[in-house]
Amino acid sequence: MVRSSNESQATRFLPARPPSGTDNFGNLFRDTTLAMQQLVAEELARRGYGDLRPALLAVGQHVSAEGTRITEIAARAWLTKATVVHAVDELERLGYATREPDPTDGRAKLVRATARAHAAERVAREAIADIRADWATRIGEQEMDELEAGLRRLRAVLWPAE
């Protein structure tokens, strides 16, 4: 849901829907992730990328700088290959992606981001920074820094550098 331009800055980065379920450990991650995804999609729409609906963002975010095969996008996004093919077709139609031959396998194609996709990514990163700043004012900058540091430590433990 895109909020009106008259909306107060005080509510701009608050999710439109309440979370479902309890506040158990798994739901705490899920709910904040869903809220961030919703708010980023709204900000992209507000900033000129309204054609990038959440389903397309869920696929597009898994396209690497070098290009990514459909099967890899499907695995990363936990979606079927058919679903990803449909989304990539739409991303291509909208000018966010291209398909190019994979230089390591002539039978395969790589999905690559276009200049329009890179511009949208910059806007999304700006929106994420704005959302983070807003949320930090709500819980305190120190608490947000500690939360982010803890998540970075957890990420490093779960996916150690090789």
Side-chain angles (χ1 to χ4, degrees):
M1 171 183 109
V2 177
R3 295 184 174 98
S4 74
S5 60
N6 296 335
E7 172 189 45
S8 161
Q9 186 68 23
T11 61
R12 184 160 149 215
F13 295 123
L14 293 178
R17 294 177 299 277
S20 61
T22 64
D23 66 351
N24 71 52
F25 186 73
N27 288 350
L28 292 172
F29 277 100
R30 180 203 63 199
D31 295 343
T32 52
T33 298
L34 292 175
M36 179 68 77
Q37 290 170 341
Q38 171 204 329
L39 294 168
V40 168
E42 288 176 6
E43 282 298 295
L44 279 165
R46 197 175 72 72
R47 299 177 191 197
Y49 296 92
D51 55 354
L52 275 176
R53 63 184 203 287
L56 298 178
L57 294 171
V59 169
Q61 68 182 308
H62 296 290
V63 176
S64 70
E66 306 79 37
T68 310
R69 290 183 183 183
I70 295 278
T71 53
E72 180 64 20
I73 296 169
R76 290 178 185 174
W78 289 35
L79 296 168
T80 65
K81 182 180 172 187
T83 298
V84 172
V85 166
H86 179 73
V88 170
D89 287 347
E90 190 165 353
L91 287 167
E92 197 169 23
R93 184 181 61 75
L94 294 170
Y96 292 101
T98 61
R99 287 183 176 100
E100 300 174 9
D102 184 338
T104 65
D105 182 350
R107 300 167 298 162
K109 298 271 188 191
L110 292 176
V111 178
R112 293 193 190 268
T114 64
R116 180 164 170 75
H118 292 299
E121 181 181 8
R122 282 190 297 278
V123 168
R125 289 184 187 280
E126 290 169 6
I128 291 166
D130 292 346
I131 294 163
R132 188 222 182 266
D134 179 79
W135 290 1
T137 63
R138 295 172 190 282
I139 68 169
E141 188 64 45
Q142 181 178 345
E143 190 167 342
M144 182 61 85
D145 288 345
E146 290 168 0
L147 173 62
E148 193 170 4
L151 290 171
R152 287 180 193 281
R153 287 190 303 276
L154 180 59
R155 182 180 179 158
V157 168
L158 296 174
W159 298 281
E162 296 182 30

